[in-house]
């Protein structure tokens, strides 16, 4: 068996806890497709897993390969798989870890074909952020025209898609982000921009029907006061919401699940220019550990993608 590159989490900790090493190449098992990875998206979950913040919810046997979404080319089709052939360009979220490796065995049901108009680098930015934004927006129930939706982290990869999906649904969007990102966020369709650095968002946002918490931390605690009587907070960043929701309020914890059909529909919209997908930076495989740390320490605008060919 040949060896391949992978970014492995050796132990929980800081930037040095994840190291590039050589591991044995996988094979495609029943229901799986072996993908030669061309690119992968960098996500906040990478550093949260690295530092052990989710070790209770997701116990891991270390070392393990990090990364949760990828794009690439089908190298091998496992037993029982139909609809994919060697050479197909594909993308998908794994529904687990393991994307930061040259070859990855992926559950076939999690994969979608990449539209011809998108590069594999562009495709790698979509599986997690775009699908999670759509799912979290509708997690508490269908979003109706005229609803007031507040989005924390509106300039990020997840928030940017949520702004666009909320506007498509006819919602009135209140977008919270850094002041420097106002033109970008307004360009996505946000009617109300709230500069996070200029003052408390709760002084501006009132009677909100849905809060999407993509930021976490003290933002969640401050968000309860902006809700309407029947309002709800959906958080992807604060699992403690399940234990900290005040009496009489509604708070939901959301975790993304792969959805190949939704991913393909979103990718087609991006390919035809009906949705914007912003890639903030493209890095080499050797720069991946630093890119994960940058995701932790610096506010992100759009997505960072690792190009395996660099």
């Amino acid at each position: 068996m040949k060896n391949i590159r992978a970014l492995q989490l050796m132990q929980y900790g800081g930037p040095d806890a994840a190291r590039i090493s050589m591991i044995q190449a996988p094979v495609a098992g029943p229901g799986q497709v072996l993908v030669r990875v061309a690119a992968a998206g960098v996500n906040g979950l990478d550093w949260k897993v690295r530092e052990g913040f989710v070790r209770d919810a997701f116990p891991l046997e270390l070392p393990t390969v990090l990364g949760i979404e990828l794009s690439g080319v089908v190298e091998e089709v496992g037993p029982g798989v139909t609809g994919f052939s060697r050479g197909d360009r594909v993308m998908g979220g794994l529904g687990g870890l393991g994307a930061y490796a040259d070859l990855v065995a992926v559950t076939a049901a999690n994969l979608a074909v990449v539209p011809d108009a998108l590069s594999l680098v562009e495709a790698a930015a979509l599986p997690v952020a775009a699908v999670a934004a759509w799912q979290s927006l509708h997690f508490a129930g269908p979003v109706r025209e005229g609803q007031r939706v507040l989005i924390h982290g509106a300039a990020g990869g997840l928030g940017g898609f949520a702004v666009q999906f909320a506007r498509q649904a006819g919602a009135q969007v209140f977008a919270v982000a850094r002041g420097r990102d106002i033109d970008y966020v307004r360009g996505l369709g946000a009617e109300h921009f709230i500069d996070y650095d200029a003052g408390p968002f709760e002084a501006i946002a009132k009677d909100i029907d849905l809060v999407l918490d993509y930021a976490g931390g003290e933002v969640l605690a401050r968000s309860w006061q902006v809700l309407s009587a029947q309002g709800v907070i959906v958080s992807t960043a604060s699992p403690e919401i399940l234990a900290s929701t005040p009496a009489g309020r509604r708070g939901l914890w959301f975790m993304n699940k792969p959805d190949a059909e939704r991913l393909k529909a979103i990718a087609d919209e991006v390919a035809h220019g009906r949705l914007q997908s912003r890639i903030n930076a493209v890095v080499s495989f050797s720069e991946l550990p630093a890119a994960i740390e940058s995701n932790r320490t610096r506010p992100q605008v759009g997505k960072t993608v690792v190009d395996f060919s660099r």
Side-chain angles (χ1 to χ4, degrees):
M1 291 290 290
K2 59 184 176 181
N3 289 334
I4 58 171
R5 295 176 303 171
L7 181 70
Q8 285 190 299
L9 178 64
M10 311 307 292
Q11 69 276 326
Y12 294 115
D16 296 336
R19 298 202 299 267
I20 295 173
S21 56
M22 302 300 291
I23 64 171
Q24 192 174 74
V27 297
Q32 292 184 323
V33 171
L34 187 66
V35 177
R36 179 162 293 281
V37 181
V42 176
N43 291 277
L45 186 62
D46 295 332
W47 65 263
K48 292 174 184 177
V49 169
R50 186 196 71 193
E51 301 209 351
F53 290 155
V54 295
R55 74 175 93 184
D56 294 333
F58 306 106
L60 299 175
E61 184 177 338
L62 302 180
T64 193
V65 179
L66 293 173
I68 59 176
E69 64 181 336
L70 55 75
S71 68
V73 178
V74 174
E75 184 109 338
E76 175 187 324
V77 176
V81 173
T82 59
F84 294 105
S85 302
R86 180 180 172 86
D88 286 347
R89 301 192 320 146
V90 295
M91 59 187 169
L94 300 189
L97 301 179
Y100 295 149
D102 286 319
L103 288 168
V104 180
V106 185
T107 300
N110 293 351
L111 293 172
V113 173
V114 176
D116 292 340
L118 295 183
S119 71
L120 289 172
V121 168
E122 290 170 326
L126 301 179
V128 169
V131 173
W134 193 92
Q135 290 178 340
S136 59
L137 177 67
H138 298 283
F139 190 59
V143 174
R144 300 183 303 277
E145 187 169 353
Q147 280 190 305
R148 296 160 67 87
V149 177
L150 176 69
I151 300 172
H152 291 298
L158 189 55
F161 278 108
V163 169
Q164 295 177 82
F165 293 145
R167 285 299 298 133
Q168 285 182 342
Q172 188 177 164
V173 178
F174 294 75
V176 183
R178 305 287 178 182
R180 66 190 181 195
D181 300 321
I182 183 171
D183 291 338
Y184 169 60
V185 174
R186 283 198 179 279
L188 298 176
E191 296 167 278
H192 307 278
F193 181 86
I194 302 175
D195 182 350
Y196 183 84
D197 294 320
F201 64 85
E202 59 268 36
I204 300 172
K206 306 291 182 183
D207 297 318
I208 300 297
D209 298 301
L210 172 64
V211 173
L212 294 176
D213 170 30
Y214 299 147
E218 47 88 25
V219 166
L220 172 62
R222 293 163 53 198
S223 293
W224 297 109
Q225 60 190 289
V226 308
L227 288 179
S228 64
Q230 302 301 319
V232 58
I233 298 178
V234 173
S235 179
T236 67
S238 305
E240 65 270 18
I241 191 172
L242 295 177
S244 64
T245 298
R249 289 299 192 180
R250 189 177 177 209
L252 302 174
W253 165 241
F254 169 82
M255 290 188 294
N256 176 52
K257 295 180 181 178
D259 183 339
E261 288 189 13
R262 178 62 55 186
L263 173 59
K264 185 179 186 308
I266 291 170
D268 285 340
E269 289 201 69
V270 173
H272 286 91
R274 293 189 292 267
L275 281 174
Q276 295 184 50
S277 175
R278 177 163 175 170
I279 294 177
N280 182 52
V282 180
V283 302
S284 68
F285 196 85
S286 64
E287 296 172 308
L288 183 50
I292 292 173
E293 179 64 5
S294 179
N295 186 283
R296 184 184 73 85
T297 59
R298 299 178 184 175
Q300 301 294 301
V301 179
K303 289 277 292 195
T304 297
V305 175
V306 54
D307 182 347
F308 280 50
S309 68
R310 288 195 173 191

